Amino acid sequence: MSTDAHRSRPLRFGLTAALPRSGAQSREFALRVEAAGIDVLTFADHLAPTVAPFTVAAAVAAVTSRLNVGTLVLNNDFRHPVETARETASLATVSDGRFELGIGAGHMKSEYDAAGIPFDDGATRVSRLVEAVTVIRTLLDGEPIDLRGDHYRVRAGAGEIVATPPHRVPILVGGNGTRVLELAGRVADIAGFAGINHNRDATRVRLSHFDGPGLADRIAVVRNAAGERFPEIELNALIQAVVVTDDRAAAAADLGETLGADPAVLLNSPFMLVGTHEQMAEQLLARRQEFGVSYWTVFDEWAGRRSALPDIAEVIALLR
């Protein structure tokens, strides 16, 4: 399943955030995240009372020295890909190469409705994403482009409409659907997995690929699309919950009642961390060996979640 290249990759850790903070609070938070050993601080992209990802990522980059910043993930439908490329190139430049662009097809119908943006079917949104990533990658690489697609028309010479950043910008394509993950396999530097999908209007969540075989299946989609470049792709997983406990079975039973899921699935899911900090460290090492996933992202406090930062900091300290 995993390659030797994936199993030997150093572990990286991300924290994804969305809550608005004042200037002083943002600076303190960024420095605390950096000091905790987090490698990448990413920001979600929702039309909700949350931070705008490019703006806050730039602010965080300005007050840190080691921490990478990024989006997890940008909703492609909220911006034209030329504008996404321009913002990305600028942020990558001013951060001295510490920006990572995560992008997806969008899924929250309520956001589209509120903003008056047509919410097309999933196939159309993914087709738009495929074209957009082509535009973004080409412009970021400083290459000429002449795309006449079904959704975008972009024609420009090398470096004509976007200033090429001095460092290559990693692109993460995240999702659960087959076409999105095939896109990740073809063009992304990082493939992102969450183990879940939503119904059409995103009012319900289904744990569709939440166990080990499910993740393996989704990784296989990326591998088949990537071909020989698969060992070059970093594999990322979004951990849905971090629960510190001395009784893993009891914690899984409680989570099962809350989520309406089989506790056995939750207990062994690669998208959950349940146990002591030592057990969590062991779980992550075992998952890298089995699946080749080396980049793990946890949630900050938002959408009713308790921040996983203090606990993942303990795990990082054990692993490093």
Side-chain angles (χ1 to χ4, degrees):
M1 181 189 308
S2 58
T3 66
D4 289 340
H6 288 114
R7 287 190 290 265
S8 62
R9 275 185 178 269
L11 289 171
R12 289 208 305 156
F13 293 92
L15 181 76
T16 189
L19 284 180
R21 291 176 168 89
S22 69
Q25 289 171 333
S26 292
R27 290 189 291 273
E28 185 276 332
F29 177 65
L31 294 172
R32 180 157 48 91
V33 170
E34 186 173 52
I38 293 293
D39 299 288
V40 190
L41 178 57
T42 59
F43 299 93
D45 186 25
H46 292 290
L47 298 181
T50 57
V51 293
F54 282 124
T55 301
V56 71
V60 168
V63 299
T64 56
S65 58
R66 178 194 60 80
L67 185 67
N68 278 20
V69 293
T71 55
L72 194 70
V73 290
L74 209 68
N75 185 330
N76 176 62
D77 285 341
F78 291 167
R79 299 161 195 83
H80 192 282
V82 170
E83 180 62 14
T84 296
R86 187 169 71 123
E87 292 283 355
T88 296
S90 298
L91 225 166
T93 299
V94 301
S95 67
D96 295 321
R98 289 187 289 129
F99 182 70
E100 304 178 9
L101 175 67
I103 191 165
H107 67 278
M108 295 287 291
K109 182 177 183 295
S110 59
E111 298 176 347
Y112 287 72
D113 292 345
I117 301 172
F119 186 70
D120 295 320
D121 60 80
T124 301
R125 283 181 281 120
V126 172
S127 294
R128 197 156 44 231
L129 175 66
V130 170
E131 289 187 14
V133 170
T134 298
V135 172
I136 294 164
R137 180 79 274 166
T138 302
L139 293 177
L140 290 178
D141 290 345
E143 298 174 356
I145 185 168
D146 187 2
L147 175 72
R148 305 180 186 186
D150 294 329
H151 306 283
Y152 303 110
R153 309 283 196 277
V154 182
R155 183 177 184 182
E160 187 173 88
I161 57 176
V162 170
T164 308
H167 309 88
R168 176 179 170 85
V169 181
I171 292 180
L172 178 152
V173 174
N176 191 58
T178 296
R179 289 183 63 210
V180 169
L181 294 178
E182 286 174 342
L183 173 64
R186 293 194 302 271
V187 303
D189 302 279
I190 308 165
F193 307 92
I196 61 175
N197 62 13
H198 301 82
N199 62 336
R200 187 179 187 276
D201 58 2
T203 56
R204 292 192 303 276
V205 175
R206 184 168 69 93
L207 307 182
S208 60
H209 295 84
F210 208 67
D211 58 6
L215 175 59
D217 175 83
R218 297 295 84 187
I219 292 173
V221 172
V222 175
R223 183 179 62 239
N224 292 338
E228 293 183 356
R229 69 181 295 270
F230 179 63
E232 303 169 14
I233 301 173
E234 187 177 32
L235 305 182
N236 166 265
L238 180 59
I239 296 174
Q240 299 294 330
V242 177
V243 181
V244 179
T245 178
D246 291 323
D247 190 338
R248 297 183 70 238
D254 290 342
L255 284 168
E257 288 187 12
T258 301
L259 301 175
D262 182 352
V265 171
L266 299 178
L267 191 62
N268 297 298
S269 170
F271 299 101
M272 304 283 285
L273 282 176
V274 181
T276 65
H277 294 137
E278 291 78 8
Q279 288 172 327
M280 291 178 182
E282 293 169 358
Q283 290 164 24
L284 292 175
L285 290 174
R287 292 168 190 176
R288 180 179 61 177
Q289 183 69 19
E290 181 177 0
F291 302 108
V293 176
S294 58
Y295 175 15
W296 301 91
T297 299
V298 298
F299 285 95
D300 184 35
E301 181 183 358
W302 66 287
R305 299 174 186 267
R306 173 184 174 273
S307 177
L309 179 59
D311 292 316
I312 203 66
E314 295 285 347
V315 174
I316 292 170
L318 288 169
L319 289 166
R320 292 178 177 167

